[in-house]
């Protein structure tokens, strides 16, 4: 299956510039007698099969109703070939890595018939989706764990366009690290077509030389404290795949970092990315950047125009300073090769003209919370927590529908924490309490080591128990997790 233009079949694909000019002239009656304009060149396109090595398995929609996407999803062990000739026994959704792409349009209803064929209990959390608490997949709060052989039916409406993902919420570091994660793309017919679209599910995997998975507790307590990063970078279930691209043509990359602990800082030498959106869809306006960075859990919506340079093009992972041991002696790694092919197209304007209106959340009357991300000083146990309390001993925070809260997160540890709140988007606040610009909706925010971060959130009408935690899943499992009880005032 090819990756397609974002909205092919929904909107007409954007014509190449020369063709667009020709069409404009034709429409204006610039060429007489119905003749073809002499300067019209054929539309420029990506090379045939340009993204075949990055093709994602797709979930099959079994429901004929165009507004209902109904799929089967089975968590089960399966053999995946990452190292040639050395299959890896992993845990998968429907037998593939990553789990199948779920494609829907904003406002669609999604029904997932889930079967757990793993030897352990599990659940599915729909990361970033503003759905009912009962569908959120947090064991013991929104649903019981699905036991081995058990089933669960997830059923909800997709309220926001954007790129999301799903993963288990039981023993998460282990289950995600074993291969359980998959993408969800929710499109909006009213959004502009920004060129050929590529979905990139970034992760990593901890492999032994024979291809088998390393034990989930490899490295012991110190590795828990650091957060386990895999030995191999994996993009759409492959190690260092090759993308083929026509130089000069814009590509939209919708990226999710599904790694357990690894921060993904990306670089394409000689290129600048226009970051046009993040966790919760398009941002207010594009922001140009050389090295987009995604913490675990985050998404980025990027537009890039591959161009020929002196060196072969390679998308690289650069070590990002997320605390002790994260950059020292660590090499740059190759994520994906890009082979340029064909005549250069006419580069489109950068940054692309795209954005959407976002209002800053009104902070008047907001309750302010101080949330410290903590490590128990008794290092015998490696126990992390929130305000000094590990998840298993914590009382829930309280809020009511319609409330606005400002969360001030502080981190005195030697490692950064990507903080994730379930079920609600928030806006990041800068040091002066002003919203970070360009405005965008987030669900995961980096809290740097020995640093701070703040956000503002307004709770809409979805009462229940909502989880928040560090998305370095080793940290979450070690106690850096809590619950918010959203009630009715
Ligand atoms: Cu992806 Cu509880 O999170
Ligand atoms: Cu953490």
């Amino acid at each position: 299956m090819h990756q397609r233009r974002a909205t092919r079949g929904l909107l007409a694909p954007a014509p190449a510039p020369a063709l667009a000019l020709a069409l404009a002239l034709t429409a204006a009656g610039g060429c007489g007698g119905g003749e073809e304009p002499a300067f019209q060149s054929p539309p420029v396109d990506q090379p045939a099969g340009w993204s075949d090595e990055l093709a994602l398995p797709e979930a099959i929609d079994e429901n004929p109703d165009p507004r209902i996407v109904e799929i089967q999803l089975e968590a089960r062990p399966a053999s995946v070939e990452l190292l040639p000739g050395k299959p890896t026994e992993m845990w998968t959704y429907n037998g593939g890595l990553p789990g199948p792409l779920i494609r829907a349009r904003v406002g669609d209803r999604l029904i997932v018939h889930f079967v757990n064929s793993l030897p352990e209990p599990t659940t599915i959390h729909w990361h970033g989706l503003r759905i009912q608490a009962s569908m959120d997949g947090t064991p013991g709060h929104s649903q019981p764990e699905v036991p081995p052989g058990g089933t669960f039916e997830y059923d909800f409406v997709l309220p926001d366009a954007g790129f999301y993902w799903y993963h288990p919420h039981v023993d998460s570091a282990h289950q995600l690290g074993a291969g359980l994660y998959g993408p969800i793309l929710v499109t909006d017919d009213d959004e502009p077509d920004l060129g050929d679209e590529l979905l990139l599910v970034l992760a990593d995997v901890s492999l032994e030389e024979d291809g088998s998975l390393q034990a989930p507790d490899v490295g012991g307590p110190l590795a828990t404290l650091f957060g386990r990063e895999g030995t191999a970078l994996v993009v759409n279930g492959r190690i260092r795949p090759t993308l083929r691209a026509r130089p000069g043509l814009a590509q939209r990359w919708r990226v999710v970092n599904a790694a357990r602990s690894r921060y993904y800082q990306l670089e394409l030498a000689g290129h600048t990315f226009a970051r046009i959106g993040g966790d919760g869809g398009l941002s207010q306006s594009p922001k140009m950047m050389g090295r987009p960075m995604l913490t675990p859990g985050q998404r980025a919506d990027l537009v890039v125009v591959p161009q020929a340079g002196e060196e072969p093009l390679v998308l690289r992972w650069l070590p990002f300073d997320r605390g002790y041991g994260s950059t020292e002696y660590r090499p740059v790694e190759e994520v994906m090769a890009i082979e340029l092919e064909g005549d250069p197209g006419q580069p489109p304007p950068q940054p692309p003209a795209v954005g959407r209106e976002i209002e800053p959340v009104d902070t008047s009357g907001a309750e302010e919370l101080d949330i410290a991300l903590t490590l128990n000083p008794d290092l015998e146990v490696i126990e992390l927590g929130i305000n000094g309390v590990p998840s298993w001993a914590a009382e829930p925070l309280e809020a009511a529908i319609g409330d606005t809260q400002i969360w001030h997160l502080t981190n005195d540890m030697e490692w950064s924490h990507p903080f994730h709140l379930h079920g609600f988007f928030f806006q990041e606040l800068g040091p002066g309490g002003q919203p970070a610009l360009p405005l965008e909706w987030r669900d995961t925010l980096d809290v740097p080591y020995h640093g701070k971060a703040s956000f503002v959130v307004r709770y809409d009408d979805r009462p229940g128990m909502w989880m928040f935690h560090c998305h370095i899943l080793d940290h979450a499992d070690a106690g850096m997790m809590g619950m918010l009880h959203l009630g009715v005032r």
Side-chain angles (χ1 to χ4, degrees):
M1 260 164 292
H2 292 187
Q3 304 224 4
R4 293 164 300 187
R5 275 183 195 274
T7 45
R8 182 166 287 166
L10 305 170
L11 269 181
L19 182 59
L21 179 62
L23 291 172
L25 286 174
T26 308
C31 320
E35 276 165 42
E36 288 291 301
F39 52 80
Q40 182 176 327
S41 54
V44 183
D45 223 336
Q46 301 293 350
W50 65 290
S51 59
D52 281 2
E53 282 195 25
L54 289 135
L56 290 165
E58 285 199 36
I60 298 163
D61 177 7
E62 296 174 341
N63 195 308
D65 186 327
R67 301 319 311 262
I68 302 177
V69 175
E70 186 165 0
I71 66 166
Q72 307 287 337
L73 204 59
E74 182 189 22
R76 62 175 163 93
S79 175
V80 175
E81 191 169 299
L82 290 165
L83 303 177
K86 296 176 179 175
T88 305
E89 297 309 314
M90 301 188 76
W91 286 1
T92 67
Y93 292 115
N94 293 359
L97 185 76
L101 168 65
I102 300 173
R103 217 185 248 282
R105 285 179 303 159
V106 66
D108 283 357
R109 176 175 167 200
L110 176 63
I111 302 171
V112 179
H113 301 281
F114 176 62
V115 179
N116 179 13
S117 303
L118 301 171
E120 286 179 19
T122 192
T123 61
I124 303 182
H125 168 56
W126 310 93
H127 184 124
L129 298 184
R130 297 191 304 142
I131 54 183
Q132 300 303 313
S134 58
M135 292 289 130
D136 190 53
T138 48
H141 296 287
S142 65
Q143 66 169 102
E145 293 181 348
V146 183
T151 63
F152 193 86
E153 195 167 299
Y154 293 96
D155 185 346
F156 47 80
V157 170
L158 298 158
D160 304 289
F163 192 37
Y164 305 96
W165 64 301
Y166 57 95
H167 63 77
H169 232 294
V170 177
D171 203 4
S172 317
H174 168 217
Q175 294 199 359
L176 225 100
L180 293 169
Y181 56 85
I184 309 175
L185 181 65
V186 184
T187 55
D188 181 343
D189 296 1
D190 293 335
E191 281 183 9
D193 186 342
L194 295 166
D196 293 288
E197 185 168 294
L198 191 66
L199 305 177
L200 296 174
V201 183
L202 306 178
D204 59 13
V205 61
S206 298
L207 295 177
E208 302 286 1
E209 237 150 69
D210 65 358
S212 60
L213 279 184
Q214 290 183 343
D217 60 352
V218 65
L222 214 66
T224 301
L225 210 46
F226 179 72
R228 289 175 178 83
E229 295 189 17
T231 55
L233 304 190
V234 175
V235 192
N236 294 6
R238 297 189 185 217
I239 296 173
R240 201 184 176 280
T242 299
L243 174 73
R244 295 158 61 223
R246 177 88 57 169
L249 272 198
Q251 299 196 1
R252 180 185 193 177
W253 292 359
R254 309 191 72 167
V255 189
V256 53
N257 181 358
R260 288 162 295 172
S261 305
R262 179 186 295 267
Y263 282 42
Y264 258 96
Q265 177 172 231
L266 299 170
E267 186 190 64
L268 188 58
H271 289 67
T272 305
F273 294 89
R275 185 178 183 283
I276 61 169
D279 297 340
L282 292 175
S283 50
Q284 202 179 25
S285 55
K287 188 172 175 179
M288 301 304 291
M289 51 183 64
R291 295 174 174 180
M293 193 282 285
L294 295 88
T295 72
Q298 286 182 333
R299 281 84 71 209
D301 198 343
L302 306 170
V303 176
V304 64
V305 184
Q307 305 275 12
E310 274 145 41
E311 305 275 315
L313 270 189
V314 178
L315 181 70
R316 293 195 169 85
W317 174 90
L318 304 187
F320 181 82
D321 184 6
R322 65 171 183 89
Y324 185 78
S326 60
T327 53
E328 296 89 341
Y329 309 110
R330 297 194 67 189
V332 168
E333 295 189 56
E334 301 196 338
V335 177
M336 171 173 90
I338 301 174
E339 262 171 27
L340 294 176
E341 209 176 298
D343 298 334
Q346 190 63 239
Q350 286 279 75
V354 59
R356 82 174 149 151
E357 259 177 64
I358 297 177
E359 290 292 318
V361 176
D362 181 2
T363 54
S364 54
E367 183 190 359
E368 308 208 22
L369 309 183
D370 288 313
I371 307 276
L373 307 174
T374 51
L375 171 65
N376 187 328
D378 174 7
L379 290 178
E380 295 285 291
V381 288
I382 305 294
E383 181 188 276
L384 281 72
I386 289 179
N387 294 335
V389 186
S391 52
W392 47 88
E395 290 295 321
L397 303 179
E398 293 287 338
I401 289 162
D403 282 2
T404 303
Q405 285 186 332
I406 297 174
W407 293 36
H408 297 290
L409 305 157
T410 53
N411 176 5
D412 289 328
M413 281 179 60
E414 303 297 326
W415 292 276
S416 302
H417 300 295
F419 189 87
H420 172 49
L421 172 64
H422 284 206
F424 300 89
F425 291 128
F426 52 74
Q427 288 176 358
E428 181 185 2
L429 298 177
Q434 296 304 312
L437 298 175
L439 290 174
E440 67 169 284
W441 295 108
R442 293 181 178 274
D443 58 47
T444 307
L445 182 63
D446 190 34
V447 189
Y449 64 96
H450 293 294
K452 301 175 190 308
S454 298
F455 65 76
V456 57
V457 57
R458 189 180 172 279
Y459 302 109
D460 57 39
D461 187 9
R462 286 172 300 122
M465 297 294 279
W466 297 99
M467 193 173 254
F468 51 86
H469 57 89
C470 176
H471 223 291
I472 288 180
L473 296 171
D474 284 310
H475 291 178
D477 292 349
M480 195 173 280
M481 207 154 55
M483 299 301 297
L484 169 79
H485 173 242
L486 187 62
V488 185
R489 204 172 300 288

